[in-house]
């Protein structure tokens, strides 16, 4: 077993790779990574403290309810493709369940006095790093299976807080989170880079891209994957907003919706990144913040944003697909018909966990495509395998490719011509999988499909 | 004091007390924890509608059925057999009536306002036998299925035992197992039930209560977001 021991504030983030099918950080394969120098006992102490810090009623109810029926395994793509029992969703939380019973549950005194549950050791946490980060995309499919109704995915997110505090997260996730915290973007889309890109895109594509407007009804944000790898999505956003005649802007003080704080378990960074967008929206008086095609960005602002802010957000938060669907519904967005068949890959955080289940389908309907749904679809669709920071984590590649086969089979079975999704992270997972398997199917962006089919001479 | 007197007397009192205090302690220990208010703007403000998950999750979605059918069917078989024989076996109802009279001074019928129904002994015997068979099947499954074997601990096996024991001792007592005095069998049966009561608050048998809380909580959180239930 090897470990990399880095010091968070002295070690520099690794260089980025832009020429690969996905933007990522080059790191050798480690069994587990460690950040910072601290005694082992302190790591465990920190992990457990942080884990129980936010331990409210909901998490405790979940911890008390598991009957070890093992059914959640059947829902998890990592188990499905490997049949390895260690990928059973609830097993990924074993040390934290152990810690809960011993340190926090109603009978903790008895467990401790009789030593019925062992103290969690640093070795155990190190061993579990792979389960909590490499083999969980926090997709929440298991949460739909559990007969007790336990939201296992939510517990994994909570366990990541503990792992972050202990300095026990995959180094790439730590590194991109640090980059986001220090430079404003996990993948190098710093304010300067973003500004330069906007100028370049505006010239190249002859599209007006408002930046830093002091007043705007709508604030748009992008994900760093789009800015660095899919800049057409930035152009598509601008085209659609201009076409609709919306008063909108990008702002350099809050343009980056990617939130690696959420994925890595660094709650402070999560808040910092969320607050940038909140403050930017407040500064320009935006009534609506439109989030890009990014799943976890939606969770971070739409469902967790107000809780980070400490009060209800003074604006509406919408995923771009929800915004497009609303415009279609109101008759403001008319689209040319795409005479093709399509299938829709449901991004877990937008659809299953986010609740925007029908919006992307309404937009596809407006595009006139013949929709061939996958099986399973919507809430129970299989995850692409790259969510929850997994695609950013090189050592998880081999496992991720195995899960990607599920997606390929599902898509092939629909016979549809166009695979479409509405998450740039899913998209780069597909691009990477496509390259790996030399697959002949290319994932498309719903947003770009809409921008390419606007009826320009309208109104 | 002979064994039966002990089982009917102090053992019963103690086990019921431990059961009640333990269950309350564990439930309060969880429910008294703080719960942060969710400040996000709900998609569906009527989050309570998510409570339907309590019923919905009683059977898996079609997509999940293939891998879980065995567990579901066996689970239902032993739960139904266990609960029906617990509540609808005539001698059990008489016993409850006895306890009710002792506690409240009135008979069971007066207490609940209607006559508690019972089922013919033949049906109870059949259901108990199904329950025993299903429990044996789930035990074997737990031992041979790699997922269940990995995630199981003492609680899983002991909870199985304290559920299995009353069924077997009950059936033995009912059948007046050859050569054993009825009183002794009845005492064993009572003691096995008391063991179940004592263990109940500490292990996973508590899911009889927490299942509603867990499903209901998740249902409300998900419904608020419009997420898939
Ligand atoms: S959230 Fe998804 S990836 Fe994680 S354990 Fe559950 S099903 Fe598996
Ligand atoms: S499905 Fe639910 S109750 Fe069953 S083992 Fe998994 S988490 Fe526990």
């Amino acid at each position: 077993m090897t470990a990399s021991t880095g010091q968070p504030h002295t070690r520099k983030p690794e260089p980025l790779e832009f020429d690969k099918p996905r933007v990522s950080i080059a790191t050798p394969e480690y069994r587990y990574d460690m950040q910072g120098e601290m005694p082992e006992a302190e790591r465990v102490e920190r992990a457990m403290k942080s884990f129980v810090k936010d331990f409210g009623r909901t998490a405790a109810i979940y911890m008390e309810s598991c009957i070890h029926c093992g059914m959640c395994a059947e829902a998890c793509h990592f188990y499905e493709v490997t049949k390895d029992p260690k990928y059973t969703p609830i097993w990924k939380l074993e040390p934290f369940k152990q810690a809960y019973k011993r340190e926090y549950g109603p009978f903790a005194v008895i467990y401790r006095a009789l030593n019925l549950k062992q103290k969690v050791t640093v070795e155990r946490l190190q061993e579990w790093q792979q389960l909590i980060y490499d083999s969980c995309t926090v997709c929440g499919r298991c949460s739909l299976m559990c007969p007790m109704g336990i939201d296992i995915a939510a517990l994994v997110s909570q366990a990541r807080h503990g792992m972050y505090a202990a300095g026990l997260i995959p180094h790439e996730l730590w590194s991109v989170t640090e980059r986001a915290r220090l430079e404003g973007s996990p993948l190098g889309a710093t304010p300067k880079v973003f500004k330069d890109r906007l100028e370049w895109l505006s010239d190249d594509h002859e599209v007006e891209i408002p930046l830093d407007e002091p007043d705007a009804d709508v604030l748009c944000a992008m994900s760093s994957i789009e800015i660095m790898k899919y800049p057409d999505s930035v152009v598509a956003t601008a085209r659609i907003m201009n076409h609709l005649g919306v008063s909108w802007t990008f702002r350099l003080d809050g343009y980056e919706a990617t939130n690696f704080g959420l994925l890595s378990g660094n709650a402070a960074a999560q808040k910092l990144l969320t607050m940038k967008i909140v403050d930017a929206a407040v500064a320009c008086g935006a009534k609506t913040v439109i989030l890009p095609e990014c799943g976890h960005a939606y969770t971070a602002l739409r469902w967790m944003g107000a809780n980070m802010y400490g009060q209800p957000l003074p604006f509406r938060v919408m995923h771009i697909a929800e915004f497009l669907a609303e415009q279609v519904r109101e008759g403001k967005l008319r689209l040319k018909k795409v005479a093709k068949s399509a299938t829709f890959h449901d991004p877990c955080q937008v659809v299953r966990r986010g609740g925007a289940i029908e919006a992307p389908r309404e937009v596809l309907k407006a595009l006139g495509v013949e929709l061939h749904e996958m099986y399973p679809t919507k809430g129970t669709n299989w995850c692409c395998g790259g969510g929850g920071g997994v695609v950013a984590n090189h050592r998880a590649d081999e496992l991720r490719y195995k899960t990607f086969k599920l997606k390929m089979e599902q898509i092939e079975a629909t016979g549809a011509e166009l695979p479409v999704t509405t998450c740039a992270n899913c998209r780069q997972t597909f691009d990477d999988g496509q390259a790996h398997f030399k697959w002949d199917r290319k994932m498309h962006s719903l947003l770009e499909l809409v921008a390419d089919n606007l009826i320009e001479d309208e109104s | 004091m002979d064994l039966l007197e002990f089982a009917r007397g102090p053992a019963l009192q103690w086990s019921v007390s431990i059961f009640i205090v333990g269950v309350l302690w564990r439930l309060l220990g969880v429910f008294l924890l703080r719960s942060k208010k969710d400040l996000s703007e709900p998609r569906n403000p009527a989050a309570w509608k998510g409570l339907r998950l309590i019923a919905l999750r009683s059977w898996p979605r079609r997509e999940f059925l293939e891998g879980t059918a065995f567990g579901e069917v066996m689970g239902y078989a032993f739960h139904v057999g266990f609960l029906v024989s617990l509540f609808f076996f005539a001698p059990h109802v008489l016993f409850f009536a006895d306890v009710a009279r002792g506690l409240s001074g009135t008979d069971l019928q007066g207490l609940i306002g209607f006559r508690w129904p019972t089922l013919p002994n033949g049906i109870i015997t059949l259901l108990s036998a199904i329950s025993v068979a299903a429990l044996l099947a789930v035990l074997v499954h737990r031992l041979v299925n790699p997922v269940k074997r990995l995630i199981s601990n003492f609680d899983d096996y002991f909870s199985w035992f304290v559920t299995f024991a009353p069924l077997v001792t009950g059936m033995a007592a009912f059948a007046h197992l050859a050569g054993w005095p009825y009183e002794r069998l009845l005492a064993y049966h009572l003691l096995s039930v008391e063991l179940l009561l004592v263990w109940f608050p500490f292990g996973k048998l508590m899911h009889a209560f927490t299942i509603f809380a867990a499903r209901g909580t998740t249902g409300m959180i998900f419904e608020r977001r419009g997420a898939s239930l």
Side-chain angles (χ1 to χ4, degrees), chain A residues 62 65-73 88-91 97 142 145-150 152 155, chain B residues 147 151:
Chain A
Y62 292 157
S65 302
C66 179
I67 50 166
H68 286 171
C69 69
M71 291 186 188
C72 45
T88 302
I90 200 67
W91 185 246
K97 263 168 75 195
C142 51
M145 172 63 244
C146 173
M148 292 297 119
I150 299 170
I152 306 161
L155 293 175
Chain B
V147 166
I151 64 178

Side-chain angles (χ1 to χ4, degrees), chain A residues 72-73 75-79 87-90 92 131-132 135-143 152-154 156 348 352-353 382-383:
Chain A
C72 45
C76 180
H77 41 297
F78 292 103
Y79 175 75
Y87 296 129
T88 302
I90 200 67
K92 297 173 187 174
L131 294 179
I132 292 173
S135 66
C136 181
T137 51
V138 202
C139 75
R141 201 166 184 269
C142 51
S143 308
I152 306 161
V156 169
C348 310
R352 171 164 40 247
R353 291 180 78 71
W382 288 108
C383 170

